[in-house]
Amino acid sequence: QSVLTQPPSASGTPGQRVTISCSGSSSNIGRKTVNWYQQLPGTAPKLLMFTNDQRPSGVPDRFSGSKSGTSASLAISGLQSEDEADYYCAAWDDSLNGMVFGGGTKLTVL
Amino acid sequence: QVQLVESGGGVVQSGGSLRLSCVVSGFTFSSYGMHWVRQAPGKGLEWVAFIWYDGSNKYYPDSVKGRFTISRDNSKNTLYLQLNSLRVEDTAVYYCARVMSDWGTASDWGQGALVTVSS
């Protein structure tokens, strides 16, 4: 059972906009920044979004992040086939004194 | 460019030990905290350990506390994870990752090292 809660799957057609949610609590998302990781099939995770809504260099602006209270979301607009991957939200948890992840959302591009 | 390369994975029997290494390049290793994160086959990501830039503080989840030890040698640009009393459920790919100022942000990841624990 993951500390952060994500839907296990999401899907969309090319060009569509898809949103992935991440729910936490006051000890993690409620007081810490949220980060998102993208894991393409057979590869290591890659930082996709940090500090709630900041994109590392090289990440297309089709990806955007937001946070409100104890929840966060990742939006992907203009969906492309290469976006098919697993997406994980994460944050530091002050009560657990550790990094916590969501269970991951498998994004399928139909 | 930034590189993190894990090594030391392999097959070990339940109750056995293994030491993973992560050699880094492309950044000043001694200035950054480091995580170990694992991923069991077909499962999600699980944080395993965190160490401060100077090795003075270490953090573990309850699932590995007392069995795993994170350490570093800044003179060798190398991060370690000592895995003792291994269990079948420790079977996973283990990744090392560089930590940014927010401890939940792992900016760069290695390719991973597979640890298989047999019964």
Side-chain angles (χ1 to χ4, degrees):
Chain A
Q1 196 80 336
S2 301
V3 174
L4 305 182
T5 301
Q6 297 178 237
S9 63
S11 63
T13 56
Q16 265 191 332
R17 183 175 188 270
V18 169
T19 300
I20 299 171
S21 62
C22 176
S23 177
S25 68
S26 59
S27 62
N28 43 66
I29 295 178
R31 68 176 72 170
K32 296 293 186 180
T33 63
V34 177
N35 307 287
W36 290 89
Y37 300 91
Q38 178 193 56
Q39 187 174 32
L40 297 170
T43 70
K46 165 193 152 184
L47 181 64
L48 185 70
M49 196 77 54
F50 66 99
T51 315
N52 306 324
D53 58 6
Q54 300 298 301
R55 287 186 308 276
S57 67
V59 174
D61 59 6
R62 302 186 294 104
F63 294 87
S64 61
S66 65
K67 175 186 134 175
S68 177
T70 59
S71 294
S73 63
L74 174 73
I76 310 170
S77 59
L79 201 60
Q80 298 181 4
S81 58
E82 56 259 40
D83 298 334
E84 194 160 280
D86 293 323
Y87 293 85
Y88 296 90
C89 59
W92 186 263
D93 190 298
D94 276 346
S95 292
L96 296 174
N97 248 344
M99 186 178 183
V100 292
F101 286 95
T105 298
K106 184 175 184 61
L107 175 64
T108 301
V109 180
L110 302 169
Chain B
Q1 77 276 24
V2 172
Q3 277 197 309
L4 300 89
V5 179
E6 300 94 339
S7 62
V11 181
V12 61
Q13 281 201 320
S14 179
S17 298
L18 213 55
R19 189 177 83 157
L20 303 180
S21 299
C22 169
V23 177
V24 314
S25 58
F27 65 96
T28 304
F29 180 61
S30 58
S31 296
Y32 291 89
M34 297 291 293
H35 283 311
W36 284 100
V37 175
R38 69 183 179 183
Q39 186 170 35
K43 302 295 185 182
L45 301 174
E46 180 189 14
W47 168 72
V48 170
F50 168 54
I51 187 169
W52 277 22
Y53 67 100
D54 60 355
S56 61
N57 283 284
K58 305 171 186 181
Y59 304 83
Y60 308 91
D62 288 345
S63 58
V64 309
K65 199 174 294 183
R67 300 188 300 121
F68 291 7
T69 302
I70 188 172
S71 62
R72 64 191 299 158
D73 186 336
N74 286 345
S75 69
K76 295 182 178 178
N77 282 357
T78 304
L79 175 74
Y80 302 101
L81 185 67
Q82 178 68 40
L83 297 79
N84 296 334
S85 303
L86 280 162
R87 306 167 180 167
V88 171
E89 55 265 34
D90 295 319
T91 294
V93 174
Y94 286 74
Y95 298 100
C96 60
R98 177 170 67 149
V99 179
M100 303 310 289
S101 55
D102 174 72
W103 295 350
T105 308
S107 60
D108 303 278
W109 298 63
Q111 85 289 350
L114 176 61
V115 172
T116 303
V117 184
S118 65
S119 55

